[in-house]
Amino acid sequence: MSATAKKSSQARKTLQLVLIAVAALVLAGNFIIKSLGDDVAPAEGAEGSALSALDSLTVREAATKDGYDREADFGSAWQDTDDNGCDTRNDMLQRDLEDIKFSTGDACEVASGTLNDPYTGETIAFERGENSGDVQIDHVVALMNAWTTGAADWDKEKRVAIANDPLNLVASDGPANMGKGAKDASEWLPDNQAYRCEYVARQIAVKTEYGLWVTPAEHDAMEDVLTSCPAEPLPLPTP
């Protein structure tokens, strides 16, 4: 092959490589633009989704915390509101833990088990005793938050119900639960991002079930989370 032919062949190969590279960049650019568009575009929640339910909640500023008293207003922890012979904490441990063992001679009291913690994504070994607090039962809608978004006007029976409702309860990492405190979604979300959609959806389900409102900041934070998962279903109340 002559030198001229070799140069021509090399030029064609170089051009082909350039065209391939340009095509790849175009495709990548389209993908990035589409992804960004998906992230920023408002999501329309389908019927039955948490996002759709969020749109139906009343939005108003929080009421005062004055008068709030956890035990006086929501009852002592934990009660047996479903009359199954077990208190709510042990009911939730039985529901959320794996490899459960019961205390000797007690069909209710959970002695040990394993929690796949939704808030941190970590696996926690639970053992009743001095380290029982490693696993706590979180009120997904904190009781003080409930108080300032409608529960202050309820009777005691309804407040006790929300405090012991499995829909509003999740076994979780103790320190994470303590860190959350009474914060709403605008102030606190689980470190485990894979659980945030489900977490916010459960808060919306509780607020829908009990007729609570959301603050403007709380609404916006919930909407921001659900924009990435607009089809996240609204959890159903426990039968």
Side-chain angles (χ1 to χ4, degrees):
M1 181 181 292
S2 67
T4 301
K6 285 182 179 180
K7 289 182 180 180
S8 178
S9 177
Q10 290 175 347
R12 285 196 299 271
K13 288 181 180 180
T14 300
L15 180 59
Q16 289 173 345
L17 291 173
V18 170
L19 291 174
I20 290 171
V22 170
L25 288 172
V26 170
L27 288 173
N30 288 339
F31 176 79
I32 291 171
I33 290 170
K34 182 180 184 300
S35 297
L36 289 173
D38 289 342
D39 286 341
V40 301
E44 294 294 335
E47 184 177 354
S49 70
L51 189 58
S52 177
L54 175 61
D55 289 339
S56 69
L57 293 178
T58 299
V59 180
R60 57 183 286 193
E61 295 295 342
T64 178
K65 299 175 184 176
D66 293 350
Y68 171 77
D69 184 308
R70 195 284 186 218
E71 187 164 333
D73 296 320
F74 292 88
S76 59
W78 295 90
Q79 301 190 24
D80 179 17
T81 55
D82 59 2
D83 296 321
N84 70 345
C86 302
D87 64 57
T88 303
R89 174 174 168 79
N90 279 296
D91 281 340
M92 295 302 96
L93 291 174
Q94 290 181 43
R95 184 193 70 181
D96 293 347
L97 270 60
E98 299 176 352
D99 303 322
I100 292 172
K101 292 183 180 178
F102 293 94
S103 298
T104 302
D106 194 324
C108 283
E109 187 176 84
V110 176
S112 63
T114 302
L115 174 67
N116 294 316
D117 177 44
Y119 288 176
T120 64
E122 301 294 329
T123 299
I124 303 172
F126 168 77
E127 186 171 352
R128 183 171 295 278
E130 63 180 0
N131 295 320
S132 289
D134 289 351
V135 173
Q136 299 180 9
I137 308 301
D138 179 43
H139 289 97
V140 180
V141 172
L143 299 184
M144 184 181 288
N145 176 270
W147 177 266
T148 61
T149 58
D153 297 328
W154 298 350
D155 59 28
K156 178 73 171 288
E157 182 179 5
K158 188 173 181 180
R159 294 192 199 116
V160 171
I162 194 174
N164 293 273
D165 189 340
L167 181 65
N168 192 34
L169 299 171
V170 172
S172 66
D173 172 72
N177 180 38
M178 298 296 290
K180 171 189 169 180
K183 299 180 179 72
D184 65 27
S186 70
E187 302 166 310
W188 187 91
L189 291 169
D191 286 342
N192 180 15
Q193 295 193 18
Y195 186 70
R196 288 184 176 182
C197 288
E198 185 176 344
Y199 173 77
V200 166
R202 187 173 285 271
Q203 286 189 322
I204 294 169
V206 172
K207 296 217 165 193
T208 299
E209 177 69 10
Y210 285 89
L212 296 169
W213 71 77
V214 291
T215 68
E218 187 180 11
H219 175 278
D220 291 349
M222 289 174 163
E223 188 173 54
D224 285 346
V225 170
L226 293 175
T227 295
S228 67
C229 49
E232 181 71 30
L234 188 72
L236 297 175
T238 304

